[in-house]
Amino acid sequence: MNPENLSKLPLFNKNSFVVSIIPGLQKEEQEAVEKRGCQVLTALKKLSKDNEAWNLPKAQPPVIAVLGSGGGLRAHIACLGVLSELKTLGLLDAVTYLSGVSGSTWALSSFYTKDGNTEDIEAELKHRFDQKEWDFKHSLEKTVEAGKLENYSLTDFWAYIVVSKQTRELQDSCLSSMTKHVEEGTLPYPIFAAIDDDLHRDHKEKAQNPWFEFTPHHAGYPALGAYIPIAHFGSKFMEGRLVRPEPERDLSFLKGLWGSALASLEEIKNFILDQLLSLKEKLNMTHLHLKGERFYHESTEVAGWIDSTGTIVEELLDLAMTYIKDPNAPGILEKLQVLQQKLEAGRRGDDEVSETALRWLAEMAQDWNNVSPEDQGKFLEQLVQCFMKLEEHSGLSSYPRLFFKDVMSEILDTFKVLIKTGVCCFKWEWGTIYNFLYKHGDIEEKEMSNRELLHLVDAGFAINSPYPLVLLPARNVQLILSFDFSAGDPFETIRSTAKYCHDHKIPFPLLEEAKLKEWSAAPKSCYILKGEKGPVVMHFPLFNIDTCGADIQKLSETYDTFKMADSYTLDLVTQLLRLSKENVSKNKETILSQIRSMASHRLQEEQRNE
């Protein structure tokens, strides 16, 4: 563990801390929601002043949830527009829960870290895209730091390199830092969605356990009622007890975990190759610079060390680039042999580190075609580590050694994490985290307690909207405002949720497939779905005939969910914010009508229980 991170560790007593497995809401959520209820009642009174008199409940207001679907960067921007307009119209104050999948979680992260100040959030968003801001150096530093973790996976790379560029921001704060306004009830209670990829792949048709949620207080499996404090997410547990704490992961990492559905193997590999080439160019420039220094010509020992080090690292970079392109490329064996020769030629005396590296090279050259790409990559990673130790024990402590040290250290650290990322590519390993239910005796499902590691990914792989999390009976949601930013059919989330609810006997409005197809052909801005039991669902497709007219297809292509941030101009960002806001403002009265109906229903329930 990095000593700098020790201060970030939550205080704990490992002998007393246990995993929480209880039905219903966690204590912290229950208290926050109760306080939020007072704020909601106040908001309903304000809303009713602008309309004809409402019959309001005295104690228990209707529980309203706003959902944001996945949809990459367009979901991120459009969801911010929705939140902004809901706040402007006074509707957000009547909402108890905010929940999102994928790109919408990026918007929620910004919303809560900025304490719900949508004006500032919008201004910053526009500025970042107008100036094309992205701190690549900081992003790479965060990736290198994450590469030192035991459970590094493609999620770390995706979070710090891709999602940070998409959103034009790195968020160093943690989810637990959002508690203040949530606990005071001044902001809705947030729920961020993910799924357990191992379980989802094994049980796609009737998967309930795979849904995993994050809040400012906890993380865990709602279907099991199994949670840990969010500050301990990523720490090591065994038999229900905390055995090794780890620092809480930052929001940048979590945004990568929540929003990984659009990941591309080719895109990741191309980035690795570009960075390896960049390292090679940096190495050559540094080498040329040192050759022009006086000390290079005054000491044959120094000159030999600089030349040898530069040559060996260059050969390592060439080997790595060939490996990333094709682990079975015919030229790899030859490159291993050349590297072996260069390392042998650069030896200074009988040092154990060089001997180890040469022995590994000889063994790997012989066995390369008989091992998996993952093992090949791990060997390269070990070789880089070995070379780093070799340089540490070089015996050269003069000025040129110090001059070269920082550059070489940066090159090798970056090199190592790129190789580690390449290994994850070949395994396609995402969201690796310690399983807090490992060897837990009170969990009947052995598939939950037998695994030491979990792999958590974008919930959009299951359903591209977080319905399963807000439909928990304990949350008692009566009205759902579902904003859909998905690619393709804007009713697929509704269709998938209806099937999920049918499989798990959860009340949800019945849907006719013929109706869904009819709506999808020319979607309106709002649909109201009601069943005999369960919540009323208001569904809002982003691109619809009410706000987009005949330009639905054109706008869908302009804001394709696979488009990267570089294709977004300030005008495009501004237009998308405007469209998403119009979706809310055009339906203000319809939303108010449903809220009024829910409030009246809660009043009737109170009167029956008196």
Side-chain angles (χ1 to χ4, degrees), residues 280 283-284 287 304-320 335-348 351 353-354 357-358 361 380 383-384 386-388 390-391 394 404 408 411-412 415:
K280 188 175 177 180
L283 176 68
N284 289 334
H287 196 183
W305 171 71
I306 291 173
D307 291 344
S308 172
T309 299
T311 300
I312 292 171
V313 174
E314 187 171 4
E315 292 296 339
L316 268 171
L317 290 167
D318 279 341
L319 175 61
K335 289 183 181 296
L336 285 168
Q337 291 165 359
V338 170
L339 182 59
Q340 190 175 359
Q341 293 167 6
K342 299 291 185 184
L343 189 58
E344 179 68 53
R347 290 182 66 179
R348 292 180 292 274
D351 64 277
V353 180
S354 289
L358 286 167
L361 276 168
L380 292 178
L383 193 60
V384 174
C386 188
F387 185 73
M388 292 169 80
L390 183 63
E391 291 310 299
S394 64
F404 202 27
M408 190 55 65
I411 288 174
L412 290 173
F415 186 13

Side-chain angles (χ1 to χ4, degrees), residues 34 292 326:
E34 285 178 2
D326 180 6

Side-chain angles (χ1 to χ4, degrees), residues 17-292:
F17 186 84
V18 295
V19 173
S20 169
I21 302 181
I22 58 171
L25 301 183
Q26 296 289 294
K27 178 175 176 287
E28 296 84 358
E29 178 182 345
Q30 188 173 355
E31 291 174 351
V33 167
E34 285 178 2
K35 285 198 174 180
R36 181 63 180 171
C38 298
Q39 299 284 337
V40 170
L41 280 173
T42 301
L44 293 178
K45 289 174 184 177
K46 288 181 180 179
L47 290 170
S48 68
K49 285 181 181 178
D50 298 328
N51 298 271
E52 55 187 88
W54 288 13
N55 294 318
L56 297 175
K58 297 176 183 178
Q60 296 296 324
V63 178
I64 303 169
V66 170
L67 310 189
S69 79
L73 190 54
R74 92 172 179 199
H76 169 55
I77 297 170
C79 186
L80 285 176
V82 165
L83 294 175
S84 180
E85 191 66 11
L86 286 172
K87 184 175 181 180
T88 299
L89 298 176
L91 296 171
L92 192 60
D93 289 335
V95 173
T96 300
Y97 287 105
L98 286 181
S99 187
V101 162
S102 199
S104 285
T105 65
W106 305 346
L108 295 183
S109 298
S110 297
F111 178 79
Y112 283 94
T113 53
K114 293 296 182 182
D115 301 328
N117 188 331
T118 52
E119 289 184 4
D120 283 358
I121 295 169
E122 273 193 57
E124 286 188 18
L125 178 75
K126 291 177 180 178
H127 174 78
R128 290 197 303 270
F129 278 86
D130 184 37
Q131 300 299 315
K132 302 291 184 184
E133 288 185 351
W134 180 45
D135 191 345
F136 171 69
K137 187 174 185 293
H138 188 198
S139 292
L140 190 59
E141 287 171 354
K142 296 281 284 185
T143 309
V144 169
E145 188 64 29
K148 299 172 184 177
L149 299 174
E150 185 177 349
N151 290 332
Y152 178 85
S153 72
L154 286 175
T155 298
D156 296 273
F157 169 86
W158 189 256
Y160 296 118
I161 296 297
V162 180
V163 175
S164 75
K165 185 176 183 180
Q166 282 291 79
T167 59
R168 305 287 188 188
E169 64 179 343
L170 275 169
Q171 292 180 292
D172 295 327
S173 61
C174 297
L175 196 51
S176 61
S177 67
M178 296 180 183
T179 53
K180 182 178 183 295
H181 291 287
V182 170
E183 290 176 351
E184 291 173 351
T186 54
L187 290 178
Y189 198 81
I191 308 170
F192 302 82
I195 56 166
D196 185 325
D197 192 39
D198 301 325
L199 297 178
H200 175 64
R201 283 183 293 178
D202 292 341
H203 309 287
K204 277 189 178 180
E205 289 306 310
K206 291 196 174 184
Q208 186 174 26
N209 284 351
W211 281 85
F212 196 99
E213 70 179 29
F214 297 79
T215 78
H217 294 109
H218 63 256
Y221 295 95
L224 297 175
Y227 299 98
I228 52 171
I230 189 62
H232 291 301
F233 175 73
S235 294
K236 194 168 186 176
F237 287 76
M238 186 178 294
E239 297 177 348
R241 295 185 180 276
L242 180 62
V243 296
R244 193 177 83 196
E246 297 286 350
E248 183 179 353
R249 298 303 304 267
D250 59 30
L251 276 171
S252 289
F253 169 78
L254 292 178
K255 284 161 64 178
L257 188 154
W258 299 328
S260 55
L262 302 180
S264 161
L265 175 60
E266 286 307 309
E267 182 182 338
I268 295 173
K269 287 175 68 173
N270 287 337
F271 177 87
I272 296 172
L273 290 170
D274 287 344
Q275 289 308 305
L276 288 171
L277 185 61
S278 177
L279 291 178
K280 188 175 177 180
E281 291 171 353
K282 185 173 186 177
L283 176 68
N284 289 334
M285 288 176 63
T286 305
H287 196 183
L288 285 171
H289 174 73
L290 289 174
K291 280 186 173 183

